[in-house]
Amino acid sequence: METATKTENIERMKYTTEKNISGAEIMVRSLIQEGVDNMFGYIGGAIMPVYDALYDYQDELKHFMSRHEQGAMHSAQAYARISKKVGVCFTTSGPGATNVITGLADAYLDSTPLVVITGQVGSGLLGTDAFQETNIVGVSMPVTKWNYQITRADEIAEIMAKAFYIARSGRPGPVLIDITKNAQILKADYHYKKCEGIRSYQPMPKLNKTEIEAAAALINSAKKPLLLAGQGILLSGAEDELLEFVEKTQVPVACTLLGLSAFPTNHPLYVGMLGMHGNYAPNMNTNECDVLIAVGMRFDDRVTGDTSKYARQAKIIHIDIDRSEHNKNIVVDVPVLADAKDALKALNKVVSGEYRTAWMKSFKDYYQIEFDKVIKKQAYAKSDQINMAEVIRILSEQTKGEAVLCTDVGQHQMTSARYYGFKRPNTQITSGGLGTMGFGLPAAIGAQVGDRNATVVSVSGDGGFQMTLQELAVIKQYHLPVKAILLNNSFLGMVRQWQDLFFDQRFSNTQLENPDFVKIVEGYGIQAKRVSSRDDLETAIQEMLDSPEAYFLEVVVETESNVLPMIAPGAAVSDMRLE
């Protein structure tokens, strides 16, 4: 089969109408019309006609062949978050389809726009328990924003347009489209029209002037305000509006885990990260402020702790695009139903403020306590073993806070969030709501594809790394200069920490007997190094960063170090443990 020339395909793409072409061709043309240029996936029998159609569009549509469908999903998620496009993932039916469920749940909880296309057995075999048949529409329903099964070729263009519109509009999220094999093979007339609206679906709420005025009145009269910046800032592209708001009102800013990088960490009004392993000052002052302004965040349990003791003294303003989030976990005084960018633009016209010396001093005083009791001991460790915090501190210093950090889930994730100084938006990519181990390495692939010029670093623990390490083959095959740091403590570190603190040090099934990671990585043809001495650490990190190609650095860290501060389960945010 001859590959169509790029010129021929450019000519084809000028037209959104064509007679009698295959469903697979319609699928590919639809992707091009939606501006897709990179995608991830894993081929199989039920999706093979689409992959055959892709063969003629290799210049227009770059496909990255992952080594597991979950890896493809995490790559698509990170690609979406860094490129601000809809991530696209292809898989086959049966186990290929069920293997994307973890990624769908992750994307759903973290509001990541995806269109996931799964192959399916022919429509005549549906419901017969045919080979590799699974009711993926039923299985995926709880973890998708919308899903649909295509059984006819003439449905494809309209459904794909609708899928992309739903995925990217309003509060973003994943959409799954299941397409039967006969729909891919049979022919139909092609007509593509982008979806610009769906009856009864109103993703962008109209700004309510009364809500803005009520919020502004509280902000302008506040003596001890605190702003909580969530991922909604990044999703709406409201970083500039947030900066303007903060500098106009002089309100201190704290970020949620997924909100990190929405506000520069070196800004004098940035006061740290919220949550269970966040910074002491913003957590303590959540229960001291008089006005709490929550923007694009959902009052997750990891942020609030005991909700009955959360910010009881404060008037709370909650700006969110999703009506269902208002008063769901925390009852608020002024709910503002709006896109974060729109709301902040409106507020910036009517708010004012001045530097609150005593209030800001309280944050500095709390920070000093945390520095003396925690940060100094961890990030500037003098013990015999390397601490995770000093690895991340050195990485932050050497990259000047401008790298893209993709992390797994566990102690290294919390340490990275605490000690990396994010300077640019959308440079902190992690699994928040679902907490998916194995996220970091495939996410780094998607991030590198999304920004070829960025320094992309994955940070993993020895547990999570072994869940998706096969994706090293993707890094090698496509010559992606991903940098991977493995913080090896020979434990499932975060679970071990909980066993240490809350289960009488009964370390059940958390100690790991690990392989030689360097040999494994070298087996994939990637340069690798292992460091266990503090004297070699800075040089090794710099050597990794200087490499023009992919590089793996294993750092042997303290075996039984805990991430502190910590809010114990069920405790109030102001009951943080510092030791």
Side-chain angles (χ1 to χ4, degrees):
M1 181 177 182
E2 294 184 3
T3 304
T5 67
K6 189 169 185 178
T7 302
E8 288 172 344
N9 285 336
I10 289 172
E11 286 302 311
R12 281 178 175 178
M13 287 184 287
K14 290 179 181 178
Y15 302 98
T16 57
T17 301
E18 191 165 342
K19 294 284 188 179
N20 201 36
I21 62 175
S22 72
E25 178 86 3
I26 293 173
M27 172 69 74
V28 173
R29 299 276 196 94
S30 299
L31 294 173
I32 292 170
Q33 290 297 327
E34 290 293 340
V36 176
D37 50 7
N38 294 292
M39 52 194 164
F40 308 85
Y42 202 100
I43 193 171
I47 196 68
M48 201 174 292
V50 169
Y51 273 84
D52 183 66
L54 282 173
Y55 190 81
D56 290 331
Y57 292 90
Q58 295 177 52
D59 290 328
E60 296 78 23
L61 292 170
K62 181 70 173 177
H63 180 275
F64 294 84
M65 178 68 178
S66 301
R67 296 306 187 263
H68 190 283
E69 292 87 353
Q70 183 177 336
M73 289 293 291
H74 296 330
S75 294
Q77 287 175 264
Y79 175 82
R81 283 160 69 171
I82 199 168
S83 70
K84 310 300 287 183
K85 296 181 178 181
V86 176
V88 175
C89 182
F90 279 103
T91 74
T92 191
S93 63
T98 58
N99 280 343
V100 306
I101 294 297
T102 295
L104 284 171
D106 197 299
Y108 186 72
L109 284 170
D110 288 352
S111 302
T112 304
L114 299 181
V115 170
V116 180
I117 298 141
T118 56
Q120 184 56 274
V121 301
S123 56
L125 293 173
L126 291 173
T128 68
D129 294 332
F131 177 67
Q132 291 194 333
E133 179 196 359
T134 299
N135 179 9
I136 195 61
V137 171
V139 172
S140 65
M141 193 171 292
V143 290
T144 50
K145 191 175 177 184
W146 182 62
N147 63 14
Y148 187 87
Q149 185 176 77
I150 295 175
T151 58
R152 304 192 321 270
D154 61 6
E155 292 182 286
I156 295 173
E158 180 183 357
I159 295 302
M160 290 300 294
K162 188 175 179 181
F164 276 88
Y165 176 72
I166 292 173
R168 68 164 67 97
S169 60
R171 181 178 181 173
V175 169
L176 181 137
I177 302 300
D178 193 43
I179 179 168
T180 59
K181 197 166 185 178
N182 61 290
Q184 301 171 54
I185 295 170
L186 295 177
K187 294 186 177 182
D189 292 344
Y190 168 63
H191 175 68
Y192 200 83
K193 182 181 179 182
K194 285 193 176 184
C195 181
E196 297 179 353
I198 299 171
R199 185 178 179 181
S200 79
Y201 172 56
Q202 297 177 326
M204 289 296 287
K206 186 177 180 181
L207 202 63
N208 185 305
K209 184 179 179 182
T210 301
E211 292 175 351
I212 293 296
E213 289 173 348
L218 284 178
I219 293 164
N220 291 339
S221 63
K223 304 298 182 186
K224 296 190 292 184
L226 175 60
L227 189 146
L228 313 182
Q231 192 190 16
I233 299 290
L234 297 164
L235 293 174
S236 66
E239 300 89 351
D240 290 343
E241 287 76 12
L242 175 62
L243 183 62
E244 181 184 346
F245 175 88
V246 169
E247 294 187 341
K248 193 170 185 181
T249 61
Q250 294 293 295
V251 173
V253 179
C255 288
T256 65
L257 175 64
L258 290 179
L260 288 173
S261 79
F263 195 80
T265 57
N266 61 346
H267 194 283
L269 287 167
Y270 178 72
V271 294
M273 182 178 75
L274 298 158
M276 180 174 280
H277 293 287
N279 293 107
Y280 194 49
N283 279 303
M284 294 296 290
N285 275 342
T286 293
N287 280 4
E288 295 292 334
C289 66
D290 61 356
V291 174
L292 192 66
I293 310 157
V295 186
M297 53 88 74
R298 58 191 177 88
F299 291 110
D300 176 77
D301 63 289
R302 284 298 197 260
V303 166
T304 64
D306 183 353
T307 54
S308 69
K309 300 177 182 177
Y310 184 81
R312 305 295 292 177
Q313 79 296 333
K315 295 291 186 181
I316 301 178
I317 300 164
H318 188 193
I319 299 170
D320 202 280
I321 198 170
D322 187 347
R323 187 187 302 274
S324 70
E325 293 296 345
H326 288 152
N327 300 310
K328 183 175 80 174
N329 298 325
I330 297 294
V331 176
V332 303
D333 298 276
V334 180
V336 178
L337 182 64
D339 174 75
K341 190 181 186 78
D342 291 344
L344 288 172
K345 273 186 177 179
L347 282 170
N348 284 338
K349 297 176 182 178
V350 290
V351 292
S352 60
E354 59 184 9
Y355 189 80
R356 301 162 179 86
T357 303
W359 179 230
M360 290 306 301
K361 183 178 183 300
S362 72
F363 286 96
K364 294 174 182 177
D365 291 344
Y366 279 131
Y367 173 79
Q368 191 62 50
I369 293 170
E370 181 183 353
F371 183 86
D372 293 338
K373 291 192 174 183
V374 179
I375 297 172
K376 184 166 62 175
K377 296 176 182 178
Q378 293 187 347
Y380 301 89
K382 300 298 181 184
S383 60
D384 293 337
Q385 293 181 298
I386 299 170
N387 190 285
M388 288 186 186
E390 60 183 313
V391 180
I392 302 303
R393 174 185 61 79
I394 293 169
L395 177 67
S396 182
E397 291 171 355
Q398 293 189 355
T399 59
K400 297 180 174 59
E402 294 184 349
V404 177
L405 229 59
C406 301
T407 63
D408 266 354
V409 171
Q411 286 185 318
H412 62 279
Q413 176 195 34
M414 293 295 102
T415 301
S416 298
R418 283 179 52 78
Y419 292 100
Y420 194 86
F422 299 97
K423 301 296 191 304
R424 297 190 298 118
N426 295 300
T427 53
Q428 200 263 164
I429 298 175
T430 195
S431 171
L434 197 64
T436 305
M437 291 178 66
F439 181 88
L441 187 66
I445 291 169
Q448 193 73 79
V449 172
D451 188 348
R452 292 297 187 131
N453 297 318
T455 298
V456 177
V457 183
S458 77
V459 182
S460 302
D462 42 320
F465 183 73
Q466 293 182 80
M467 291 187 172
T468 53
L469 64 79
Q470 73 278 349
E471 301 305 312
L472 289 166
V474 183
I475 292 172
K476 180 63 177 177
Q477 180 174 347
Y478 298 100
H479 310 290
L480 301 172
V482 168
K483 311 298 185 284
I485 294 179
L486 172 63
L487 300 176
N488 186 356
N489 60 5
S490 297
F491 265 102
L492 296 177
M494 188 59 82
V495 184
R496 185 213 60 78
Q497 177 168 331
W498 280 52
Q499 289 173 333
D500 179 25
L501 298 176
F502 311 120
F503 289 87
D504 299 322
Q505 298 185 331
R506 291 161 60 87
F507 300 123
S508 174
N509 289 281
T510 45
Q511 190 163 8
L512 302 176
E513 186 173 325
N514 287 318
D516 187 326
F517 289 111
V518 169
K519 284 185 178 179
I520 290 175
V521 176
E522 288 178 339
Y524 282 96
I526 295 172
Q527 188 174 358
K529 189 172 187 175
R530 185 174 190 262
V531 171
S532 58
S533 169
R534 180 172 287 108
D535 294 340
D536 302 325
L537 182 60
E538 288 195 35
T539 301
I541 293 175
Q542 192 61 58
E543 181 180 311
M544 175 193 72
L545 295 171
D546 288 343
S547 174
E549 299 177 345
Y551 194 108
F552 172 85
L553 178 63
E554 176 187 1
V555 183
V556 180
V557 296
E558 288 184 41
T559 304
E560 298 187 10
S561 176
N562 291 334
V563 180
L564 295 169
M566 181 179 184
I567 302 170
V573 290
S574 52
D575 292 332
M576 291 200 83
R577 300 176 60 155
L578 291 169
E579 50 194 8

